DNA sequence: ATTTAAATGTGAAAAGATTCACAAAACACA
DNA sequence: TGTGTTTTGTGAATCTTTTCACATTTAAAT
């Protein structure tokens, strides 16, 4: 019966990524030293949690002295092998694909979209910094740039088909913007981003809050993490 | 010390949204009846979990007979007061903002971006289906359309400032694409979408997997939900 | 009408995540 | 050098989520 395995990223790991991106920001504005509660404050978790997370991943600071920002970033980079560049491909140069291809923050974090692909020959002629290739050249480019991670930004109907092609070409990780759950082999991770669902959940929350001032019903559905 | 409350949406509620969008899709392709394992299969969770979630929200089906798709959708709509339209505003008509403003799926799910805003006077002249207003008209429009939810798609540096203006104007829910944690009062929910972090976590996963074939280290960091 | 098979629905058990609480370390200052 | 203060690091306790297991219901088959 088992068709595929859905990998869910541990909460603690997600938070570690938050800490990292927060540290980069703090570094940029000249902060040199942080305490567990500094990071807590910036990321919306508790200081206990920050320390517990660090403990889980074997990251240590200085008793009383907190953590050196540079040192901490370096430790995280090492643990997450993020010191080298990563080549990415993007499939589907439509609305969202084009905007993602122009997103500078990816590059700032050593993630380079080296090539994009589209079936539409018209899109392939687009003047853009990153080349837009025909789908027929997928494997060639993926091999050449040793790409392991891809972004899917094609319509829902084509998403599974494109995922299959990508996996065939050796891709091991996918960020999927199409609102479908892709079926992939166990060794290929998929991270689905469903913006409609995200927006709906906010609407739902706002609605619930407006209805029940008594927070009785709300309590049931939401958990407030205080700090 | 407490500055704000971070609301995290319950996992079960997120899954309920997945079930819903999945049911809509199944309905479109003509499916009339589903079982807990059908939904499990489509959404990547276990059948037990689907039933447990339904149980939590008081949704029932027919023993042996599964669930009627129409009936189930209706129950979800009722519970989530999603039968009426919701007006949304979007701030920042740059790369991602523009692509979001053109995203059809929002409308298909009764979420209408009624107006967009930008400080750049040039952007305000853009020919687009949805009007682009100056920030000075924020409160006026939000009041007129009774908007409660906003999308922030402005640069990191301006995000907090824009959030403050929105809250001033009566907004109660925010989807934030800027990679910063917004500080908001307890009754305003924020859903942060951080695409860099999402992409990084995929890269991290792929890397770990390639290093440790023994799955020993992996086991520590990822949890595989089978079904 | 009776049996069989296939689902649901839900307490109870297990696993996982968060918070608590406090000992240990280290800095500051007398 | 010693005393007080601040912050880390981590087991233990608590709280939440998921999985298990099975009684219950119902549709279909005989
Ligand atoms: N626009 C948004 O803001 C937004 C937001 C969230 C999710 N999405 C999702 O992202 C996907 C793309 O949305 P969009 O608005 O950019 O759509 P779009 O139609 O503007 O772009 C889709 C692109 O994919 C290309 N394409 C189609 N089939 C292909 C195939 N088999 N191989 C390669 N390329 C192919 C098309 O030529 C087109 O350029 C959809 O699944 C949508 O639901 C979009
Ligand atoms: N481009 C992407 O694919 C992408 C992906 C994820 C997240 N983001 C994030 O989304 C945000 C926008 O990214 P972008 O690439 O669209 O940037 P952009 O520069 O293309 O667009 C930003 C827009 O916001 C407007 N703006 C700036 N300050 C404003 C203010 N105070 N009030 C109103 N409008 C203001 C600008 O005029 C501009 O039109 C950034 O925070 C970015 O990190 C972008």
């Amino acid at each position: 019966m088992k068709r595929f395995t859905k990998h869910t990223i541990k909460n603690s790991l997600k938070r570690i990524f938050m800490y990292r991106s927060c540290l980069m920001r703090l570094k940029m504005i000249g902060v040199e030293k942080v305490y567990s509660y500094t990071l807590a404050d910036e990321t919306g978790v508790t200081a206990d949690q920050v320390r517990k997370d660090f403990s889980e991943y074997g990251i240590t600071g200085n008793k009383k002295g907190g953590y050196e920002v540079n040192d901490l970033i370096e430790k995280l980079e090492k643990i997450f092998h993020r010191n080298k560049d990563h080549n990415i491909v993007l499939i589907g140069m439509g609305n969202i694909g084009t905007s993602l291809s122009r997103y500078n923050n990816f590059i700032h974090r050593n993630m380079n979209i080296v090539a994009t692909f589209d079936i539409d020959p018209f899109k392939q002629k687009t003047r853009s910094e990153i080349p837009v290739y025909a789908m027929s050249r997928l494997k060639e480019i993926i091999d050449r740039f040793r790409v392991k991670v891809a972004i899917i930004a094609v319509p829902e109907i084509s998403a599974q088909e494109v995922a299959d092609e990508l996996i065939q070409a050796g891709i091991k990780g996918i960020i999927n913007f199409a609102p479908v759950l892709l079926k992939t082999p166990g060794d290929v991770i998929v991270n689905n981003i469903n913006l409609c669902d995200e927006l709906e959940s906010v609407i739902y929350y706002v609605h619930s809050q407006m209805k029940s001032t008594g927070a009785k019903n709300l309590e049931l559905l939401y958990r407030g993490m205080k700090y």
Side-chain angles (χ1 to χ4, degrees), chain A:
Chain A
M1 197 62 203
K2 184 177 142 186
R3 209 81 63 72
F4 67 95
T5 306
K6 182 169 165 187
H7 295 275
T8 50
I9 289 162
K10 273 184 109 178
N11 290 353
S12 58
L13 185 60
K14 281 196 199 157
R15 285 194 301 267
I16 290 276
F17 281 109
M18 294 205 314
Y19 304 147
R20 178 170 174 271
S21 79
C22 171
L23 284 163
M24 309 277 260
R25 204 154 37 79
L26 291 173
K27 182 185 175 170
M28 266 210 308
I29 61 172
V31 177
E32 288 178 359
K33 203 160 112 184
V34 294
Y35 302 104
S36 57
Y37 55 79
T38 321
L39 286 173
D41 218 47
E42 292 292 321
T43 56
V45 303
T46 64
D48 290 335
Q49 182 111 73
V50 173
R51 295 203 305 280
K52 190 79 179 171
D53 288 340
F54 283 176
S55 166
E56 186 181 348
Y57 294 95
I59 292 162
T60 63
N62 320 303
K63 297 235 159 146
K64 179 138 192 194
Y67 309 82
E68 296 269 344
V69 170
N70 275 324
D71 188 45
L72 198 46
I73 290 175
E74 210 169 291
K75 272 174 179 155
L76 294 172
E77 305 268 291
K78 204 170 232 165
I79 291 174
F80 300 127
H81 5 84
R82 293 289 298 107
N83 15 23
K84 51 170 138 69
D85 281 10
H86 293 274
N87 293 337
I88 316 280
V89 293
L90 187 156
I91 323 298
M93 279 293 270
N95 276 317
I96 188 108
T98 305
S99 92
L100 291 170
S101 76
R102 293 192 190 131
Y103 190 32
N104 294 325
N105 284 26
F106 290 147
I107 294 166
H108 294 151
R109 296 235 230 147
N110 331 358
M111 303 182 288
N112 303 317
I113 299 178
V114 290
T116 71
F117 295 85
D118 206 295
I119 34 160
D120 184 349
F122 188 73
K123 296 269 163 57
Q124 292 156 27
K125 295 204 193 80
T126 315
R127 267 191 68 80
S128 85
E129 292 188 26
I130 305 167
V132 185
Y133 295 105
M135 290 300 282
S136 55
R137 301 191 59 194
L138 196 63
K139 183 143 179 58
E140 172 206 336
I141 309 277
I142 284 176
D143 284 347
R144 179 175 344 141
F145 290 99
R146 301 174 187 287
V147 181
K148 291 282 164 245
V149 173
I151 301 172
I152 293 185
V154 300
E156 196 180 326
I157 194 93
S158 321
Q160 182 63 57
E161 175 198 318
V162 167
D164 293 344
E165 287 183 67
L166 287 167
I167 291 160
Q168 202 70 48
I171 288 296
K172 294 293 179 199
I174 295 171
I175 289 253
N176 173 37
F177 283 88
V180 265
L181 194 84
L182 303 174
K183 315 255 162 166
T184 59
D187 67 332
V188 177
I189 196 179
V190 180
N191 189 347
N192 291 297
I193 313 265
N194 190 325
L195 297 183
C196 278
D197 283 2
E198 300 290 346
L199 188 49
E200 284 207 339
S201 67
V202 172
I203 290 174
Y204 173 61
Y205 173 85
V206 170
H207 242 267
S208 310
Q209 192 159 71
M210 290 191 312
K211 286 225 164 164
S212 71
T213 352
K216 196 61 168 291
N217 187 20
L218 250 176
E219 198 79 57
L220 187 79
L221 296 164
Y222 290 91
R223 194 161 42 93
M225 292 184 354
K226 288 140 218 110
Y227 77 101

